[in-house]
Amino acid sequence: MLRAACIVCRGMVNKHVVKEAKSPLQKLYAHTDHRFPRINIWRPLPSSSGRCYSSLSRLPLRRSRLLPVSLAFQTQRNFWVARLASRLLKLRYLVLGSAVGGGYTAKKTFDQWKEMFPDLSEYKWIVPDFVWELDEHINFDKLSKALPDSEALAKLLPDFEKLGESFSLLKEWLSSGPGGETAFKATDSQSFESSDKQYKKGLLGELILLQDQLKQHEEEARRAAGNINTGSPQQKRKATDKEKVDQLQEELLQTQLKYQRILERLEKENKDLRKLLLQKDDKGIHHRKLKKSLIDMYSEVLDILSDYDASYNTQDHLPRVIVVGDQSAGKTSVLEMIAQARIFPRGSGEMMTRSPVKVTLSEGPHHVAMFKDSSREFDLTKEADLAALRDEIEVRMRKSVKNGQTVSPETISLSVKGPGIQRMVLVDLPGVISTVTSGMAPDTKETIFSISKAYMQNPNAIILCIQDGSVDAERSIVTDLVSQMDPQGRRTIFVLTKVDLAEKNVASPSRIQQIIEGKLFPMKALGYFAVVTGKGNSSESIDSIKDYEEEFFQGSSLLKKGMLKAHQVTTKNLSLAVSDCFWKMVRASVEQQADAFKATRFNLETEWKNNYPRLRELDRSELFEKAKNEILDEVISLTQVTPKHWEEILQKTLWERVSTHVIENIYLPAAQTMNSGTFNTTVDIKLKQWTDKQLPNKAVEVAWETLQQEFSRFMTEQKGKEHDDIFDKLKEAVKEESIKRHKWNEQAEDSLRVIQHNALEDRSISDKQQWDAAIHFMEDTLKSRLKDTESVIRDMVGPDWRERWLSWISRNLEQNTRNETKNELEKMLKVNEDHPAYLASDEVTTVRKNLETRGVEVDPVLIKDTWHQVYRRHFLKTALGHCNLCRRGFYYYQRHFVDSELECNDVVLFWRIQRMLGITANTLRQQLTNSEVRRLEKNVKEVLEDFAEDNDKKVNMLTGKRVQLAEDLKKVREIQEKLEAFIEALHQEK
């Protein structure tokens, strides 16, 4: 830096010295003799003055030689020059000082910045150690030498000079020649003229040339026709002009046909190539991620919309191609030609289309068909699969038709894929009829009209109006219907079928021309087409129909005379036109429909937040899954019931069920015996009969009812704040169906019979505690029966004197009679307290006569009925007194009541019954917890699985505003998301 400053300073000094010294020297030597040549008197400074100076090495000024000398004159010392030089030398020190100060400042600033940076040495661990040791293990110099040099790499790169030549050649081919034609066009024209077999090399040129020929022929035909129409009368009489017009029309027709054949040839080649490409993709050669096609995405949206209830003013306005026509007009045949397969059932004059059929057409490597709700693929190239498909469609149609109806509004969804098929969605509707025939429902005509109007009122639906050309146009009904729904004809395409029959049968061919030009019918349309759908033979194949159609139009006079245009004929042109119109309508309307569903979604979400702010948005399927889990949890809760609880419930319920039989049929008859031996014998016989016939079955019934009650208790028990009453109906249905399906193990009764018989055979009471328990059980039973008996007697005789006075209630005649009878029977029992349980006939007569003496007429049946209740009360009171006496009878029982007047055989009977009840309850509890609860759980799962597959049951069981709102919200979200995905894919395809 110091050296540079010295050089700059020296240059400045020299320059300034020369500039300042030049003018005085010129003045000084103004009179110099010019005969001598002028030479430059300046010479370089000596080395001592040329070196760099600094503030550390300052030399005296006297040593510098700054003045120039002249060769012609003697050198003179000029002091003013020295002073000037000394002043200029001061500038050197200023520059040098500034340079030194600037360097120091820069170094100080650099040190400050360096101190500001963090110390990154602590983070050296982030980089693995092997990175720092790479240079120790890898010889980078050797590696760099092993790499190819620039010349070797240049050989691997493409030859850019050759690429430039290729681009130049391509530019020459694409550039227009002197005649305005491209090199491609010239080449194609030459190949077209040389050989028709070489169409692959110049097919584009042929099309361009044919287009020019078509325009030329049309212009010549128009000019010749104009000359005939506008010329003089003499020219009109010339036959040569007319022949020229006919010749031009013939050439024009031939050119159009040739153009059509080349187009078909191109389409066939494109179809084969696309099929090959799709097959390669299908085999996974390109290993691409499979995505749904655009038309499949669109069809899914339509399927969801067909199930969506159009509430909240959001209607389905997505485009479809609606195929309508009179019955047997050939609309199904047209649809089959577009789908390139005979997929619909056919019949002669019979209504075959009984419900709407939505057909989604798309391109694929294989010609197959599949229903929306099925995974089976029908191979449309095999006749067996075609027949199976037609049968399946017919079966689905008949299933959709309700009892007493002829047609159904339910839609059958079908997808057809194949190479070369145009992408679109078509809906085949039942044919419009004019008269209801026998076998049809009376409202069939109105139903078909309502179905057709429901589809056609969609402002974006494309109406494919099919008209039978073989019948009189005045007999058509569908044209009036279409003109009502689309009066301007902005979305209607008219198709005239059976043109081959029409050409033969119609007397005036111009009538067909009027139909195709839209002048015969009041309806308007976007386009008019004429097609031929075969010879009327149901066994014709699609290929044969296409060949017949092409052959017919090639020889048709309608096409030759110009009544029909080439682009208005054949189902191929119709399919292309309908597909193009369909996708234009889709692109124009799908975003508007998506916005409408977006607004609907916002409204539904707002309504949910306002009404159910703390609940999740669960649709019907999600609610069913939640209820399913709760029900299964409640079934599992049965296994958590304690054994003590099970046995208490079972024992109590079983005794309530059998207590009447024990008292009436076992205890009372045995108590009428005279001694203990007869009592025990009677009891054993009665118990054996009861065990063999009734008791096991009663026990199983009690166990099953107990299981049902506990299951119902868990199902209906509210869980506090977590209880959701929306599941109550579903739980009740699951409970009833599960109980209906559950059957108790048949072997349970046999094993239970043996256990009960063994329990009743035992008479040995082991301790006082068991004796007291039997006494308590007997006492409670007798008191309960006594209370019931007194209640029955009170109802028979009416209120007593206290109730009559206090409540002002009186007895009726029958109650007075029964009361008198009761009093008479009680007198009899007081006289003979050991009276048997049945009245003798003479005793009945005595009672009746005693009552007649008091003026009471009584029937013997009433006497016996009253006696039964009176004696029952008397017996129960006596048994209770005997039970109290037996409280201290355990000692006598141990001695077998020897030397004792007290006999407590009835206590032993009740102990045997009580022990049998306990053992039976324990056995039933084990069977419940070990097997029956699990079998019930299995039944519940089966019922839930059946309900899950039955959508109607779910709709009936899970109802309410909350469920419906969640369902609508789910559907709208799904529709909006699928629409947005479809729109994104549609934009990508553009």
Side-chain angles (χ1 to χ4, degrees):
M1 182 182 295
L2 295 175
R3 181 178 180 86
C6 294
I7 294 172
V8 172
C9 185
R10 185 186 64 186
M12 294 179 63
V13 172
N14 293 338
K15 184 177 179 182
H16 195 74
V17 169
V18 172
K19 186 175 180 181
E20 294 294 333
K22 183 176 181 180
S23 181
L25 288 174
Q26 289 177 355
K27 293 180 180 179
L28 181 62
Y29 302 107
H31 304 285
T32 305
D33 190 358
H34 294 281
R35 291 176 297 174
F36 297 95
R38 184 177 180 180
I39 59 174
N40 190 3
I41 61 175
W42 293 96
R43 57 184 177 181
L45 296 174
S47 59
S48 60
S49 62
R51 63 178 181 176
C52 297
Y53 292 96
S54 66
S55 58
L56 301 178
S57 59
R58 189 174 298 175
L59 298 178
L61 292 177
R62 65 179 182 271
R63 296 182 57 185
S64 61
R65 299 176 183 177
L66 297 176
L67 295 177
V69 294
S70 178
L71 297 177
F73 301 97
Q74 184 180 0
T75 304
Q76 295 182 6
R77 188 178 299 267
N78 294 324
F79 295 100
W80 65 273
V81 177
R83 287 195 298 270
L84 180 61
S86 63
R87 293 176 183 175
L88 292 176
L89 286 176
K90 292 181 181 179
L91 182 62
R92 176 185 64 182
Y93 300 109
L94 294 176
V95 174
L96 290 176
S98 300
V100 172
Y104 176 76
T105 304
K107 183 177 182 304
K108 186 177 181 180
T109 305
F110 173 74
D111 293 338
Q112 291 177 356
W113 287 357
K114 186 177 179 181
E115 292 175 358
M116 292 171 60
F117 282 104
D119 188 7
L120 299 178
S121 60
E122 298 179 359
Y123 302 95
K124 187 177 179 181
W125 59 271
I126 297 177
V127 182
D129 295 336
F130 73 90
V131 176
W132 307 107
E133 300 173 358
L134 280 177
D135 55 346
E136 299 177 4
H137 301 284
I138 301 176
N139 192 346
F140 289 101
D141 296 335
K142 185 176 180 180
L143 184 62
S144 61
K145 294 178 181 178
L147 292 175
D149 53 4
S150 59
E151 296 180 359
L153 288 175
K155 294 179 181 180
L156 300 176
L157 296 176
D159 193 350
F160 294 102
E161 295 181 358
K162 292 184 178 181
L163 288 177
E165 294 176 0
S166 300
F167 281 116
S168 301
L169 182 59
L170 181 62
K171 183 177 180 182
E172 292 176 1
W173 285 354
L174 296 175
S175 61
S176 299
E181 296 181 349
T182 63
F184 275 132
K185 187 182 296 185
T187 305
D188 293 338
S189 301
Q190 293 174 4
S191 61
F192 176 73
E193 293 174 359
S194 60
S195 174
D196 185 60
K197 296 182 180 179
Q198 302 294 330
Y199 71 94
K200 291 185 179 180
K201 297 181 179 179
L203 211 50
L204 183 61
E206 292 183 27
L207 291 176
I208 297 173
L209 184 60
L210 281 174
Q211 286 180 347
D212 295 338
Q213 291 178 359
L214 281 174
K215 293 179 181 179
Q216 183 179 358
H217 287 317
E218 288 177 355
E219 186 66 28
E220 291 178 358
R222 195 180 301 109
R223 191 182 304 112
N227 293 334
I228 292 176
N229 295 330
T230 59
S232 61
Q234 296 178 357
Q235 292 176 342
K236 291 181 181 180
R237 287 195 299 267
K238 292 182 180 180
T240 56
D241 293 340
K242 186 176 181 181
E243 293 175 356
K244 186 176 180 181
V245 171
D246 295 339
Q247 182 181 1
L248 288 174
Q249 288 182 348
E250 184 68 24
E251 292 178 358
L252 177 61
L253 178 60
Q254 293 297 328
T255 306
Q256 288 177 341
L257 293 176
K258 195 171 185 179
Y259 180 66
Q260 186 71 21
R261 283 195 297 270
I262 294 176
L263 277 178
E264 291 176 356
R265 206 158 57 188
L266 268 176
E267 290 172 0
K268 184 178 181 181
E269 184 183 13
N270 185 28
K271 175 181 175 181
D272 295 338
L273 291 174
R274 289 182 65 86
K275 181 178 180 180
L276 181 61
L277 180 61
L278 290 172
Q279 286 176 347
K280 288 182 179 180
D281 288 343
D282 189 49
K283 293 177 182 178
I285 293 177
H286 295 285
H287 300 284
R288 295 187 305 177
K289 184 179 179 181
L290 294 178
K291 294 182 179 180
K292 290 183 179 179
S293 63
L294 200 61
I295 191 65
D296 289 338
M297 296 171 66
Y298 186 76
S299 179
E300 284 184 1
V301 177
L302 296 183
D303 289 336
I304 299 173
L305 285 173
S306 64
D307 300 333
Y308 174 67
D309 187 14
S311 44
Y312 300 96
N313 298 324
T314 304
Q315 298 180 357
D316 175 16
H317 288 166
L318 290 176
R320 301 167 180 81
V321 180
I322 310 302
V323 185
V324 295
D326 298 323
Q327 185 179 355
S328 302
K331 55 183 181 56
T332 302
S333 300
V334 172
L335 187 54
E336 287 180 337
M337 291 292 291
I338 296 175
Q340 301 181 14
R342 308 298 297 268
I343 58 178
F344 291 102
R346 295 179 293 278
S348 56
E350 183 184 357
M351 177 181 289
M352 301 305 298
T353 306
R354 297 180 177 270
S355 65
V357 181
K358 182 177 75 70
V359 183
T360 303
L361 301 179
S362 60
E363 194 172 16
H366 307 289
H367 203 184
V368 294
M370 183 187 296
F371 289 99
K372 179 189 73 171
D373 55 353
S374 175
S375 59
R376 179 185 176 183
E377 277 191 352
F378 296 88
D379 190 351
L380 302 184
T381 60
K382 298 179 180 179
E383 188 59 37
D385 283 16
L386 278 172
L389 178 61
R390 289 193 290 265
D391 294 340
E392 180 68 19
I393 292 176
E394 187 173 1
V395 169
R396 287 174 180 257
M397 285 184 180
R398 295 189 181 277
K399 283 184 179 180
S400 65
V401 177
K402 306 300 181 182
N403 294 332
Q405 299 295 321
T406 307
V407 293
S408 169
E410 295 182 12
T411 305
I412 299 174
S413 184
L414 178 70
S415 63
V416 177
K417 296 182 179 181
I421 296 180
Q422 298 298 321
R423 302 178 304 168
M424 66 185 91
V425 177
L426 302 100
V427 182
D428 186 21
L429 299 180
V432 180
I433 60 175
S434 57
T435 305
V436 177
T437 59
S438 60
M440 293 184 179
D443 60 343
T444 302
K445 180 179 178 180
E446 290 75 14
T447 304
I448 293 175
F449 268 84
S450 63
I451 293 174
S452 302
K453 288 182 178 179
Y455 276 92
M456 288 191 292
Q457 69 183 1
N458 180 357
N460 297 319
I462 300 170
I463 303 173
L464 197 62
C465 180
I466 309 298
Q467 170 66 37
D468 189 354
S470 63
V471 299
D472 295 335
E474 290 77 10
R475 295 169 56 185
S476 175
I477 307 173
V478 69
T479 52
D480 295 335
L481 179 62
V482 172
S483 61
Q484 293 176 8
M485 304 307 297
D486 185 24
Q488 302 299 325
R490 295 176 180 175
R491 51 190 179 91
T492 301
I493 297 177
F494 181 85
V495 181
L496 185 66
T497 62
K498 306 177 183 179
V499 183
D500 52 342
L501 300 178
E503 187 178 20
K504 296 177 182 178
N505 300 333
V506 177
S508 175
S510 61
R511 190 174 179 84
I512 298 177
Q513 184 179 6
Q514 290 179 351
I515 295 175
I516 295 301
E517 292 178 353
K519 298 179 180 179
L520 187 63
F521 294 111
M523 61 169 289
K524 299 178 182 178
L526 284 172
Y528 297 84
F529 290 87
V531 298
V532 175
T533 55
K535 300 178 182 179
N537 187 3
S538 60
S539 61
E540 287 181 290
S541 65
I542 295 296
D543 293 334
S544 61
I545 295 175
K546 285 182 178 180
D547 296 338
Y548 173 71
E549 184 182 39
E550 183 178 356
E551 181 182 354
F552 167 75
F553 282 115
Q554 285 180 358
S556 174
S557 60
L558 298 174
L559 203 61
K560 290 181 179 180
K561 294 180 180 179
M563 297 181 182
L564 296 177
K565 303 293 184 182
H567 65 273
Q568 290 182 311
V569 298
T570 71
T571 52
K572 183 65 176 178
N573 291 336
L574 171 64
S575 176
L576 292 171
V578 173
S579 177
D580 183 64
C581 185
F582 169 77
W583 285 107
K584 285 182 180 178
M585 192 72 76
V586 168
R587 288 185 172 91
S589 60
V590 67
E591 293 188 359
Q592 182 180 2
Q593 189 76 9
D595 293 339
F597 277 101
K598 186 176 181 180
T600 303
R601 174 180 175 177
F602 175 78
N603 295 336
L604 293 175
E605 289 176 345
T606 303
E607 183 177 358
W608 181 275
K609 291 177 182 178
N610 293 333
N611 294 327
Y612 312 103
R614 297 183 179 181
L615 295 178
R616 289 195 305 136
E617 302 165 3
L618 300 179
D619 59 5
R620 187 171 281 111
S621 298
E622 293 170 336
L623 287 173
F624 182 82
E625 289 298 324
K626 183 179 179 181
K628 177 181 177 181
N629 295 331
E630 288 188 7
I631 293 172
L632 293 177
D633 291 342
E634 289 161 0
V635 175
I636 294 176
S637 299
L638 288 173
T639 60
Q640 307 300 321
V641 178
T642 60
K644 182 179 179 181
H645 180 75
W646 278 120
E647 292 181 9
E648 288 177 355
I649 295 177
L650 289 170
Q651 186 171 351
K652 179 181 178 182
T653 309
L654 181 60
W655 176 240
E656 289 175 355
R657 189 68 57 86
V658 301
S659 59
T660 302
H661 179 83
V662 171
I663 298 298
E664 300 293 336
N665 298 325
I666 298 177
Y667 180 46
L668 280 175
Q672 304 302 318
T673 58
M674 300 304 295
N675 52 49
S676 60
T678 308
F679 179 88
N680 292 330
T681 302
T682 304
V683 167
D684 291 342
I685 294 173
K686 295 290 185 180
L687 289 177
K688 182 69 168 57
Q689 294 175 351
W690 182 46
T691 306
D692 291 339
K693 296 180 180 179
Q694 299 180 9
L695 183 58
N697 183 268
K698 289 287 184 182
V700 170
E701 288 181 0
V702 168
W704 177 219
E705 291 176 1
T706 303
L707 180 61
Q708 294 181 33
Q709 292 173 1
E710 289 299 305
F711 181 49
S712 301
R713 180 173 67 86
F714 280 108
M715 292 283 285
T716 58
E717 186 179 15
Q718 295 186 1
K719 305 296 189 299
K721 294 182 179 180
E722 298 179 359
H723 177 72
D724 197 345
D725 55 359
I726 202 171
F727 300 142
D728 292 346
K729 194 173 181 181
L730 176 62
K731 290 182 178 180
E732 184 67 24
V734 172
K735 182 195 72 174
E736 293 177 359
E737 186 65 23
S738 302
I739 291 174
K740 187 186 298 183
R741 296 186 184 184
H742 185 78
K743 293 182 180 180
W744 202 271
N745 190 1
E746 296 178 355
Q747 299 177 355
E749 291 186 13
D750 297 336
S751 60
L752 192 61
R753 183 179 291 109
V754 176
I755 294 173
Q756 290 172 340
H757 180 74
N758 294 333
L760 291 173
E761 284 290 326
D762 189 8
R763 297 190 185 92
S764 59
I765 304 176
S766 59
D767 53 15
K768 183 69 168 54
Q769 185 178 1
Q770 293 183 6
W771 181 270
D772 293 340
I775 292 290
H776 181 70
F777 175 63
M778 178 180 174
E779 186 178 14
D780 290 344
T781 302
L782 294 176
K783 286 182 179 180
S784 174
R785 291 291 167 180
L786 179 60
K787 183 178 179 181
D788 294 339
T789 304
E790 288 179 348
S791 176
V792 172
I793 292 174
R794 185 168 56 252
D795 293 338
M796 289 173 60
V797 301
D800 56 2
W801 65 269
R802 185 181 294 106
E803 292 178 349
R804 290 198 303 270
W805 281 100
L806 296 177
S807 303
W808 292 82
I809 301 174
S810 61
R811 294 172 177 169
N812 55 29
L813 182 61
E814 183 181 358
Q815 289 175 344
N816 286 326
T817 303
R818 285 188 178 274
N819 185 53
E820 293 295 333
T821 305
K822 176 183 76 71
N823 295 332
E824 189 68 24
L825 292 173
E826 286 178 348
K827 291 178 184 179
M828 186 185 297
L829 285 174
K830 287 181 180 180
V831 175
N832 185 12
E833 293 183 354
D834 297 331
H835 194 284
Y838 301 100
L839 283 174
S841 59
D842 56 342
E843 292 177 334
V844 173
T845 303
T846 303
V847 173
R848 183 170 60 83
K849 288 182 178 180
N850 292 337
L851 291 174
E852 287 178 354
T853 57
R854 293 201 300 268
V856 179
E857 295 291 336
V858 64
D859 187 57
V861 177
L862 188 144
I863 295 174
K864 292 182 179 180
D865 186 27
T866 307
W867 166 256
H868 177 72
Q869 299 298 332
V870 172
Y871 180 80
R872 183 186 180 86
R873 183 176 63 177
H874 169 72
F875 172 79
L876 291 174
K877 287 182 178 180
T878 304
L880 275 174
H882 183 69
C883 179
N884 290 328
L885 293 175
C886 290
R887 288 182 182 277
R888 296 181 297 274
F890 180 70
Y891 171 75
Y892 298 103
Y893 166 76
Q894 288 180 328
R895 298 178 59 186
H896 304 288
F897 300 104
V898 178
D899 299 333
S900 174
E901 297 180 356
L902 182 65
E903 294 182 355
C904 298
N905 294 314
D906 49 356
V907 177
V908 177
L909 170 63
F910 277 91
W911 177 82
R912 294 167 69 183
I913 298 295
Q914 185 184 30
R915 184 168 180 272
M916 182 272 300
L917 291 174
I919 293 175
T920 302
N922 181 268
T923 304
L924 293 175
R925 188 266 306 169
Q926 293 181 13
Q927 190 172 0
L928 279 172
T929 56
N930 293 336
S931 62
E932 298 303 326
V933 172
R934 295 179 181 178
R935 292 176 63 237
L936 178 62
E937 181 181 0
K938 182 179 178 181
N939 291 336
V940 171
K941 289 181 179 179
E942 292 177 355
V943 171
L944 289 172
E945 289 176 358
D946 294 341
F947 283 9
E949 296 176 358
D950 192 346
N951 191 53
D952 294 336
K953 278 190 175 295
K954 288 195 291 186
V955 172
N956 295 330
M957 300 302 170
L958 297 173
T959 58
K961 179 182 177 182
R962 168 184 158 195
V963 181
Q964 191 60 42
L965 183 59
E967 281 286 308
D968 293 337
L969 189 54
K970 175 190 174 183
K971 283 288 181 63
V972 170
R973 280 176 177 166
E974 187 177 8
I975 292 170
Q976 184 198 356
E977 290 172 358
K978 289 189 176 295
L979 276 175
E980 290 177 352
F982 170 75
I983 292 172
E984 182 179 357
L986 188 66
H987 290 165
Q988 291 177 357
E989 189 182 63
K990 288 182 180 179

